[in-house]
Every structure is written in structure tokens, then in C-alpha cells.
Amino acid sequence: MKVRRQGEESYQALLDAGINWYEAQNTMEFYLLEGRAVEILITSLTGKGSRIARIVPEELQEGITRLRIQVEMKDETHLQVELEDLGFGSFRTATHHIWKEEIEL
């Protein structure tokens, strides 16, 4: 994912390359500052380039919110992505709604 750290854009790897697909999983929290789309950069390990997978949770309200993302490989070619709405303190109550999407790699 492309994220902003200390005011600068940087890359945050969600999964590490070089591990067995059945061991590949990760959870992290982040703030979505604008819009409703979460973009995941899918980078090919074979050098075939990269592409962006865009997830737009339908019921998510626009505006700053905190999300938890959990990713895990379902098999060698499918990534399971789960997003949970954690709100934004007293400004936006957490709904704890969960969205799941499977991305073909």
C-alpha cells in the first residue's frame, strides 16, 4: 500500500515475498484520510509489472476514519482482504462493519 508517513508518501508491504503462501498473513491499522477507496499495489514476483487493486467499501462514510486491514493468501493465486471500520474517536463512531474481498493475483 502507498501510505503517508511523517508527511511523506512511502510504501508499506502488506505481505513479505519469499514465504510459503499458506503462511502469508498480516494485520495492520491505518487512517483513510479522504474518499472511500483503499488501493493495494499488487507487485508481480516474476517481473511482469504491477497493478492496483481498488476496494471501495459501500457503506463506509466519506471522511477521516481508521481501518483495520487483514490480508492472507487463500491459495497460490488468491489474496483475501478484510477491512474493518474502527471509526475516528468521538468524531466518527466505529461501526465495526467488516468488508471482505478476494483478489486474484
Side-chain angles (χ1 to χ4, degrees), residues 51-88:
R51 65 182 173 92
I52 293 180
R54 196 165 197 246
I55 301 171
V56 183
E58 301 219 1
E59 297 86 7
L60 184 64
Q61 298 173 6
E62 287 207 34
I64 298 174
T65 191
R66 186 169 54 118
L67 294 173
R68 176 179 297 128
I69 187 168
Q70 182 174 343
V71 292
E72 69 177 27
M73 295 298 295
K74 298 310 278 180
D75 60 33
E76 293 177 350
T77 60
H78 292 88
L79 175 69
Q80 177 75 40
V81 179
E82 186 176 292
L83 293 170
E84 180 181 359
D85 176 15
L86 301 176
F88 190 66

Side-chain angles (χ1 to χ4, degrees), residues 1-72:
M1 290 179 67
K2 289 183 180 177
V3 297
R4 192 168 290 283
R5 271 196 199 108
Q6 298 177 344
E8 293 190 24
E9 192 170 293
S10 66
Y11 175 77
Q12 172 66 47
L14 294 176
L15 293 176
D16 292 326
I19 62 173
N20 296 317
W21 68 264
Y22 50 84
E23 295 175 330
Q25 61 182 17
N26 189 21
T27 301
M28 66 177 243
E29 294 179 8
F30 65 96
Y31 292 99
L32 186 63
L33 300 178
E34 56 189 39
R36 292 186 354 224
V38 175
E39 294 183 344
I40 298 174
L41 180 65
I42 309 293
T43 305
S44 171
L45 297 178
T46 61
K48 293 181 182 177
S50 60
R51 65 182 173 92
I52 293 180
R54 196 165 197 246
I55 301 171
V56 183
E58 301 219 1
E59 297 86 7
L60 184 64
Q61 298 173 6
E62 287 207 34
I64 298 174
T65 191
R66 186 169 54 118
L67 294 173
R68 176 179 297 128
I69 187 168
Q70 182 174 343
V71 292
E72 69 177 27

